[in-house]
Amino acid sequence: MSSFNRRTVLLSLTAASGLTLAGCGFEPVYGSGGSASRFLNQITVDAPTDNRSYLLTRELEDRLGRNLNGAYGLSISLSTFEDSAGRTITGATSRYNMIGEATFALRDLATGEVLTSGKTKNYVGYSATGSTVATVASREDATERLMVILTDQIVANLLAYAAQNAQ
């Protein structure tokens, strides 16, 4: 197939998919008037209690905006633990999985009503085969990656709730 024909096919497919999305009522969640606008800069995340909850709060505020007097409150209960994922022949642990679980509840601060709640769970791995300093750095990096993943899941749940309950 010549390059002209390939370009023609690709352009027609792109145009057709755009028309399909326009016809189904697709609306970007972050677009002007999108369902996410209801929550952007309107959620006050409860104060963190430790380093991990600080990282999670920081990521949430980065995505949703930081507002200490928002219309909604977001409570989060966070738990993490580590599990051995790999061992050497001598029995030393060479790899860990860090598992995290976040339970969240979005409240209307005016009424105290819980609007939506949920639980997210995920894991990341890190290596423990280097020096002590390298292992500590790997653990810290894994903690940050896990908080980003849990944040993404929480935000996806909140945006799904906003899209279902758009006013």
Side-chain angles (χ1 to χ4, degrees):
M1 185 183 282
S2 72
S3 63
F4 174 75
N5 289 341
R6 277 185 252 174
R7 277 187 235 135
T8 304
V9 170
L10 287 174
L11 287 174
S12 65
L13 288 175
T14 304
S17 66
L19 291 175
T20 303
L21 289 176
C24 74
F26 172 78
E27 179 183 317
V29 74
Y30 287 113
S32 60
S35 57
S37 62
R38 175 178 172 192
F39 291 135
L40 294 178
N41 297 312
Q42 291 298 316
I43 295 178
T44 301
V45 181
D46 289 355
T49 57
D50 59 13
N51 185 53
R52 290 177 178 167
S53 63
Y54 164 76
L55 293 170
L56 187 71
T57 300
R58 181 185 72 186
E59 292 296 326
L60 284 164
E61 288 178 345
D62 185 48
R63 287 167 181 74
L64 299 171
R66 184 168 195 224
N67 187 345
L68 299 177
N69 298 311
Y72 306 100
L74 184 63
S75 301
I76 299 168
S77 173
L78 179 65
S79 65
T80 60
F81 67 94
E82 295 178 20
D83 190 23
S84 173
R87 295 192 183 273
T88 63
I89 294 173
T90 62
T93 301
S94 61
R95 188 151 186 84
Y96 288 95
N97 282 335
M98 181 180 294
I99 297 110
E101 187 173 273
T103 305
F104 65 92
L106 181 70
R107 316 175 303 284
D108 183 324
L109 292 178
T111 64
E113 176 188 4
V114 174
L115 302 174
T116 187
S117 62
K119 185 183 290 191
T120 64
K121 185 176 182 177
N122 221 308
Y123 75 97
V124 294
Y126 69 92
S127 175
T129 58
S131 66
T132 303
V133 173
T135 301
V136 169
S138 284
R139 180 182 293 135
E140 289 174 0
D141 179 66
T143 301
E144 288 189 30
R145 288 184 288 123
L146 181 60
M147 296 307 115
V148 168
I149 292 168
L150 293 174
T151 297
D152 289 342
Q153 292 175 324
I154 291 169
V155 169
N157 279 303
L158 293 176
L159 294 180
Y161 169 78
Q164 287 177 343
N165 297 288
Q167 295 176 358

